[in-house]
Amino acid sequence: MPVDQIPAPPKKSLAAWSLDVLLWGGFAIILLAAFNRVDLPNVGNLFASPEKMQRYGREFLNPDLSEWRLLVGQMWLTVQIALWGTFLAVFLAVPLSLMASRNLSPNWLVWPVRRIMDLLRSVPDLVVATLFIVAVGLGPLAGVLAIAFNTAGVLAKLFSEAVESIDKGPIEGVKATGAGGLHEISWGVIPQVAPLWTSFALYRFESNSRAATVLGLIGAGGIGQTLFESLQAFDYAKVSTIAIIIVVAVTLIDMLSQAMRKRLL
């Protein structure tokens, strides 16, 4: 192509530039407006009492390992809470995601199902766990149910987005054989989305392992309850041991998840 025929580089229209300025300018204005609201001017207080931080750091760097077996057992309970919560969430998320997918379900069904999904994932874990504690009492069951309902809302959204991005070819092929709706899902949809669904579920299991720790703070079982009691007693050496155990457990879960992804995907 002759040099004089080289096309000019693309240029943004005035409308596109205006939209960019509006979006990024609005973002900058929100940040500036929130500067005082989030108390950032007082960030210097972080260094106002160095002796307290020194004491905390000193004890934190000397973990108390005398009860490590008990704490590992509590961490294992926390992992089990996350595992069962994620397992139940997947079973809730699969039918919800299929009903919420616009390429599979009619609009009159998609809209209410999506609102249910919004409700499930918008209510914080701690609030849901509190409700279940009232219903079933203190203990791991409340944590399992709280994680299951919250995670179901998250996974249902991710699963439905995966379903909406599938290739329609396999579904049309199954339809051509005269198969019914369940066969279309089993043979045309599930094989395409199974790898993504597996990855999403494993990621949420990692996240839930940390969330289950927090739920223990309100009596939903696991190592979080011991952590809360240690913090209240200013037993920073024990807090350090708990932190180490949590970090090791989350690291092992991450490594296991990566290995499972390589095997399954």
Side-chain angles (χ1 to χ4, degrees):
M1 179 182 293
V3 176
D4 56 351
Q5 295 184 13
I6 296 177
K11 295 182 179 180
K12 278 189 176 182
S13 65
L14 180 61
W17 276 111
S18 300
L19 182 59
D20 286 346
V21 170
L22 182 64
L23 289 175
W24 291 109
F27 179 69
I29 291 172
I30 292 173
L31 276 180
L32 292 173
F35 185 79
N36 290 321
R37 294 296 299 274
V38 299
D39 213 21
L40 276 177
N42 293 324
V43 70
N45 292 340
L46 183 63
F47 309 99
S49 302
E51 66 281 354
K52 295 181 180 179
M53 295 299 295
Q54 288 173 2
R55 177 200 165 195
Y56 182 84
R58 201 165 41 244
E59 295 189 23
F60 198 82
L61 293 175
N62 291 281
D64 179 9
L65 301 176
S66 60
E67 299 181 5
W68 71 270
R69 288 184 177 85
L70 174 63
L71 296 177
V72 169
Q74 290 294 312
M75 187 66 224
W76 174 235
L77 175 59
T78 299
V79 173
Q80 290 174 308
I81 292 171
L83 182 62
W84 264 105
T86 308
F87 181 75
L88 295 176
V90 170
F91 275 89
L92 289 172
V94 169
L96 285 175
S97 65
L98 295 174
M99 290 187 289
S101 300
R102 295 183 180 91
N103 56 338
L104 294 182
S105 302
N107 289 332
W108 62 264
L109 179 61
V110 170
W111 193 90
V113 172
R114 284 183 173 269
R115 300 297 75 78
I116 293 173
M117 290 158 47
D118 293 342
L119 176 64
L120 290 175
R121 69 175 181 272
S122 62
V123 181
D125 292 349
L126 289 174
V127 176
V128 179
T130 302
L131 294 175
F132 283 119
I133 285 174
V134 173
V136 302
L138 297 172
L141 179 58
V144 170
L145 295 175
I147 287 176
F149 276 81
N150 184 269
T151 302
V154 176
L155 287 181
K157 177 177 174 59
L158 296 174
F159 286 4
S160 66
E161 290 176 352
V163 172
E164 289 179 346
S165 64
I166 63 174
D167 180 10
K168 294 182 180 180
I171 299 178
E172 297 297 331
V174 175
K175 280 184 180 179
T177 65
L182 288 178
H183 291 92
E184 293 174 19
I185 293 172
S186 299
W187 300 104
V189 176
I190 301 298
Q192 295 190 67
V193 298
L196 269 179
W197 282 10
T198 302
S199 180
F200 291 149
L202 288 173
Y203 172 73
R204 285 302 304 182
F205 171 57
E206 296 173 26
S207 301
N208 288 338
S209 299
R210 296 185 290 273
T213 301
V214 178
L215 294 179
L217 299 178
I218 60 172
I223 200 169
Q225 191 166 348
T226 306
L227 174 61
F228 183 61
E229 293 169 355
S230 301
L231 285 170
Q232 284 187 315
F234 302 102
D235 189 355
Y236 298 133
K238 191 171 183 179
V239 170
S240 175
T241 304
I242 295 172
I244 292 171
I245 291 173
I246 292 173
V247 170
V248 171
V250 171
T251 301
L252 292 175
I253 290 171
D254 179 60
M255 294 171 62
L256 177 62
S257 297
Q258 289 182 8
M260 291 178 68
R261 286 191 186 98
K262 289 180 180 179
R263 298 280 295 179
L264 298 173
L265 303 182

